Amino acid sequence: MGGMVFAPPAPASVAVSGTFDRFPVRRIFCVGRNYADHAREMGHDPNAEPPFFFTKPADALVPDGSTIPYPPATADFHHEAELVVAIGKSGFMVSEDQAETLIWGYAAGNDLTRRDMQAEAKAARRPWDMAKGFDRSAVVGALRPGPVDKAAMIRCIVDDDVKQEARLSDMIWSVPAVIAHLSRLVELAPGDLIMTGTPAGVGPLSRGQICAVTIDGLGPAKVTIA
């Protein structure tokens, strides 16, 4: 009888706020350009296209409070503050009205990006994988079950300076709209995370800095860059 040729890695997971429980993570989907001001700062028309998606591997997850190394192959390492949605039920081709029934909870997150590598990939019309899906590129704070205030503020604070600040209601595509659209592309399943896009103000991180993403009502997603 056959078996695994080596021990499989432990499944990726995220802490659940106020408990010792863990939320197992299957896949990480990310929404591109979901705040109008960020779309404009990246040189795009926020009204010109439906939401689009890219992915990060589940093992790119980094918990709140971690210290991570400045990544290789970049000289322009950026923060992107995001609301993270955790999916708790399967869904395929769901409507916006049905979408909220798939949500297990929410967290603060940081879609870390090798911006120079992304710019080169865009210019060459190549995939973004190595700009977005590198090791330790998905910082996610503790998940909180239940709803989130749609008027909550999302912020990115680098050391003591607020670099990004917006309301969740500033999203071009609401969370239900994002889920409904994504469910027409893939069948969503328990354990999927969706990083829902970042406000304007993305910018560089340097060694020694502390970067914290905060969302009203949720725990932080904080990292130190070594």
Side-chain angles (χ1 to χ4, degrees):
M1 221 174 145
M4 298 290 184
V5 297
F6 56 85
S13 65
V14 176
V16 176
S17 181
T19 76
F20 294 106
D21 293 339
R22 306 287 302 181
F23 182 90
V25 175
R26 183 170 181 257
R27 299 176 293 187
I28 304 173
F29 298 98
C30 306
V31 183
R33 298 194 290 266
N34 198 22
Y35 288 78
D37 287 347
H38 174 60
R40 293 187 189 100
E41 79 176 344
M42 301 304 288
H44 300 278
D45 179 353
N47 301 310
E49 58 188 7
F52 70 94
F53 301 88
F54 56 92
T55 61
K56 292 176 183 275
D59 66 4
L61 280 168
V62 176
D64 169 59
S66 297
T67 296
I68 62 173
Y70 193 96
T74 185
D76 198 19
F77 179 42
H78 277 208
H79 57 78
E80 294 193 5
E82 313 218 355
L83 173 69
V84 180
V85 180
I87 299 297
K89 293 182 181 178
S90 296
F92 184 55
M93 305 289 267
V94 302
S95 68
E96 288 189 35
D97 290 340
Q98 297 167 322
E100 293 208 45
T101 68
L102 272 57
I103 299 170
W104 188 89
Y106 295 89
N110 195 341
D111 167 19
L112 297 173
T113 302
R114 295 194 275 208
R115 189 71 69 202
D116 43 2
M117 188 177 289
Q118 185 189 31
E120 291 167 9
K122 286 180 180 179
R125 298 192 174 185
R126 293 175 177 167
W128 294 3
D129 297 55
M130 291 298 99
K132 289 287 194 175
F134 55 97
D135 297 339
R136 297 173 290 274
S137 61
V139 186
V140 178
L143 283 166
R144 195 198 70 192
V148 69
D149 182 357
K150 296 176 178 62
M153 297 297 296
I154 179 171
R155 297 179 178 87
C156 183
I157 303 163
V158 179
D159 293 332
D160 294 321
D161 296 327
V162 177
K163 300 294 186 180
Q164 295 178 266
E165 185 173 47
R167 292 196 181 275
L168 298 181
S169 56
D170 292 337
M171 288 184 190
I172 299 169
W173 298 92
S174 68
V175 169
V178 165
I179 291 172
H181 192 84
L182 182 56
S183 80
R184 294 195 285 272
L185 302 173
V186 298
E187 183 173 359
L188 293 169
D192 288 339
L193 298 182
I194 305 172
M195 303 185 83
T196 55
T198 195
V202 299
L205 293 170
S206 300
R207 290 177 177 86
Q209 289 188 312
I210 298 172
C211 181
V213 175
T214 65
I215 298 174
D216 295 342
L218 302 176
K222 180 187 292 186
V223 288
T224 300
I225 312 303

